[in-house]
Amino acid sequence: MRPELRRCRMAEGCMMALRYGMVFFNLLFWLGGCGILGVGVWLSVTQGNFATLSSSLPSLSAANLLIAVGTIIMVIGCLGCVGAVKESRPILLTFFILLLLIFFLEILSIMLFFIYQDEIDEYAQRDLKKGLQLFGTEGNVGLTNAWMIVQTDFRCCGVTNHTDWFEVYNATRVPDSCCLEYSDNCGLDNPGTWWTAPCYERVKDWLNENLVALWIFALCTALTQILGLVFSMTMFCQAVKVETFYA
């Protein structure tokens, strides 16, 4: 067998292995996107009134975030599958560029978060306190429900202190979700019957307690993206070599 023919068959074998690996990888990627999108749509339909705690970013809800992330993952996964099956260099290159761009944006976001962590903390607390003023008002059912759920689940009251609510009501009063034992109008009772832990610190503590799991998730996500970048660029380069050989 001539060396050129042997190299050609080896290249074809590599292309086939890469194609199957790329299709399998992106199929998992696409299915993951479908799952995230499905959860987002389910939350939007069943928990439509559950929005965000932020007053300046009312569209930044869990449902909207999941729908956006799921859609992006589905589109990228679909591009990868089509590019692998058709061995299309433009589609493979588009897939690589989009995935690389997302990877760099994620790294940049993490870096900026750690650099400006104190400023982010201050802004978040100011924005959350501003959002308290909208609690219970018309057209802000989502924000109201969000605060009720957070305070009940985390056994906390207010952003930095239960007294944050005094400015909202202009009285020594808190929402009923701040009560140790929930009952109608219990927020008017003695302060000794309320949760006093700040919700902002409670949520931060919960995140710190689950930091290992969050880092494992982040590393798995990064590894998945790196594998996608390697697969797509290797397949792209192999397609160029095969096309050059036959030319």
Side-chain angles (χ1 to χ4, degrees), residues 9 32 41 53 55 62-63 84-85 89 114 117 130 136 144 179 184 195 211 217 228 230-231:
R9 289 185 175 177
V41 172
L53 299 176
S55 60
V85 172
R89 288 187 299 166
F114 282 109
Q117 190 169 4
K130 184 179 176 182
T144 301
C179 298
D184 290 337
W195 301 113
L211 200 58
F217 175 77
V230 172
F231 277 151

Side-chain angles (χ1 to χ4, degrees), residues 205-231:
D205 290 343
W206 179 84
L207 289 173
N208 288 328
E209 290 170 4
N210 294 275
L211 200 58
V212 174
L214 291 173
W215 275 115
I216 290 174
F217 175 77
L219 289 173
C220 289
T221 302
L223 180 61
T224 302
Q225 291 173 332
I226 291 170
L227 286 174
L229 292 170
V230 172
F231 277 151

Side-chain angles (χ1 to χ4, degrees), residues 11-12 64 82 94 152 154 206 216 224:
E12 289 178 350
N64 290 342
V82 173
T94 301
T152 301
F154 285 92
W206 179 84
I216 290 174
T224 302

Side-chain angles (χ1 to χ4, degrees), residues 32-45:
C34 287
I36 294 172
L37 178 62
V39 172
V41 172
W42 175 78
L43 279 176
S44 180
V45 172

Side-chain angles (χ1 to χ4, degrees), residues 25-35 70 73-79 81:
F25 168 82
N26 283 285
L27 184 60
L28 291 178
F29 207 58
W30 184 80
L31 289 173
C34 287
I73 291 175
M74 282 182 64
V75 170
I76 293 176
C78 186
L79 276 176
C81 282

Side-chain angles (χ1 to χ4, degrees), residues 129-140:
K129 286 183 178 180
K130 184 179 176 182
L132 293 183
Q133 302 295 330
L134 302 176
F135 184 88
T137 58
E138 186 177 354
N140 290 289

